[in-house]
């Protein structure tokens, strides 16, 4: 028996959430259950709960993302939440940012197979691409790191007045409180906790929203961003 045989049938909620991309969502789930497990991108124990805990949990994040914006999924891993978000939101321009080669290879294969023309895969760490990649409206992340550390990677990639949306679990409120000082230094002006996915996931998906002002990343990252931009202009001239 292969790992893919353990994948349960898609629930009715998946048909409702993914709509006309439901078939592609099934193909993605099958890839995760097979190649994703074989390449060590997800654990085999996650296969039976791929739909509820992973695909649907990530797809409903779309409720919190504005229309027609640019998105960077930091530490995208096997494509969560970036791929489910891309399937339900063709209006978004999404970058899947991931430092590990085996993961970016998988992501590239998925993007090509599913015909996700509005998705780009970039290999690198957030601190490496700052200033090289255009700032985005929204940064997303899931299970990447504690909130304060995640913010130091994600917030500097934002445009002024952008927002970071981090899928978190039961520790969301505690993490938000303990990270308050760090978030403020990074230019955050507003924070909140959202619960999304009513009628589709149980429990609801918990999202920490961090909105920034005119200086994403604060003073320290503004200097880094300016330096990176100058370096980029010099290279282009050559």
């Amino acid at each position: 028996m292969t790992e893919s045989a353990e994948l349960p049938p898609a629930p009715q909620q998946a048909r409702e959430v993914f709509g006309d991309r439901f078939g592609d969502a099934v193909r993605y789930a099958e890839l995760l259950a097979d190649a994703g497990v074989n390449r060590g991108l997800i654990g085999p124990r996650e296969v039976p709960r791929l739909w509820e805990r992973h695909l649907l949990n990530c797809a409903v994040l779309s409720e919190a993302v504005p229309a027609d914006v640019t998105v960077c999924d930091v530490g995208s891993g096997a494509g969560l939440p970036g791929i489910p978000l891309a399937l339900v939101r063709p209006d978004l321009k999404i970058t899947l940012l991931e430092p590990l080669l085996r993961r970016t290879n998988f992501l590239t294969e998925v993007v090509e197979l599913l015909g996700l023309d509005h998705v780009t895969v970039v290999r690198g760490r957030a601190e490496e691409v700052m200033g090289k990649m255009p700032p985005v409206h929204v940064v997303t992340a899931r299970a990447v790191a504690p909130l304060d550390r995640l913010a130091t990677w994600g917030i500097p990639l934002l445009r002024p007045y952008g927002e970071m949306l981090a899928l978190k679990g039961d520790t969301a409120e505690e993490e938000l409180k303990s990270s308050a000082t760090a978030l403020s230094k990074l230019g955050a002006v507003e924070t909140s906790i959202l619960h999304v996915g009513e009628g589709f996931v149980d429990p609801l998906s918990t999202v920490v929203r961090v909105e920034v002002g005119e200086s994403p990343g604060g003073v320290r990252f503004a200097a880094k961003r300016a330096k990176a931009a100058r370096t980029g202009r010099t290279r282009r001239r050559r």
Side-chain angles (χ1 to χ4, degrees):
M1 179 182 290
T2 64
E3 295 291 353
S4 58
E6 300 177 13
L7 179 68
Q12 179 59 34
Q13 294 95 319
R15 295 181 181 274
E16 298 172 22
V17 169
F18 290 103
D20 60 0
R21 298 304 297 262
F22 170 70
D24 288 326
V26 171
R27 295 173 80 187
Y28 177 50
E30 291 171 346
L31 285 167
L32 286 174
D34 188 357
V37 171
N38 293 334
R39 300 187 195 181
L41 304 183
I42 66 167
R45 292 182 181 180
E46 297 304 312
V47 174
R49 49 190 183 181
L50 267 179
W51 284 107
E52 288 81 1
R53 182 167 180 172
H54 298 287
L55 274 75
L56 288 172
N57 179 272
C58 290
V60 297
L61 178 63
S62 64
E63 295 176 20
V65 181
D68 303 310
V69 298
T70 52
V71 178
C72 181
D73 188 29
V74 173
S76 195
L80 300 165
I83 297 292
L85 185 61
L87 287 171
V88 299
R89 293 290 300 275
D91 60 303
L92 305 175
K93 297 293 185 184
I94 300 177
T95 298
L96 306 179
L97 181 62
E98 169 57 47
L100 295 185
L101 180 60
R102 62 188 171 89
R103 293 176 180 171
T104 54
N105 285 343
F106 176 79
L107 293 173
T108 300
E109 292 167 18
V110 171
V111 167
E112 292 177 354
L113 181 66
L114 302 185
L116 298 173
D117 297 335
H118 58 304
V119 177
T120 302
V121 178
V122 173
R123 184 186 176 197
R125 300 182 184 280
E127 57 268 34
E128 295 169 348
V129 302
M130 185 180 64
K132 300 176 185 177
M133 192 177 81
V136 297
H137 298 90
V138 177
V139 162
T140 59
R142 178 179 187 252
V144 174
L147 186 62
D148 54 352
R149 197 186 319 159
L150 174 60
T152 64
W153 300 335
I155 287 181
L157 301 178
L158 289 170
R159 294 169 49 135
Y161 308 104
E163 59 187 308
M164 183 178 73
L165 299 173
L167 279 162
K168 287 288 182 179
D170 297 336
T171 62
E173 191 169 341
E174 180 183 332
E175 284 194 54
L176 193 52
K177 287 180 180 177
S178 63
S179 303
T181 300
L183 293 175
S184 179
K185 289 180 179 179
L186 288 166
V189 295
E190 185 87 24
T191 61
S192 56
I193 295 178
L194 313 176
H195 298 284
V196 297
E198 182 73 42
F200 300 113
V201 292
D202 183 19
L204 298 180
S205 296
T206 301
V207 181
V208 174
R209 170 181 272 160
V210 179
E211 301 172 70
V212 300
E214 61 183 15
S215 299
V219 176
R220 182 161 60 97
F221 285 96
K224 284 188 176 182
R225 192 181 296 109
K227 181 179 179 181
R230 288 195 300 271
T231 302
R233 285 195 297 269
T234 301
R235 286 174 178 168
R236 285 194 291 274
R237 289 194 202 103
R238 291 174 182 170

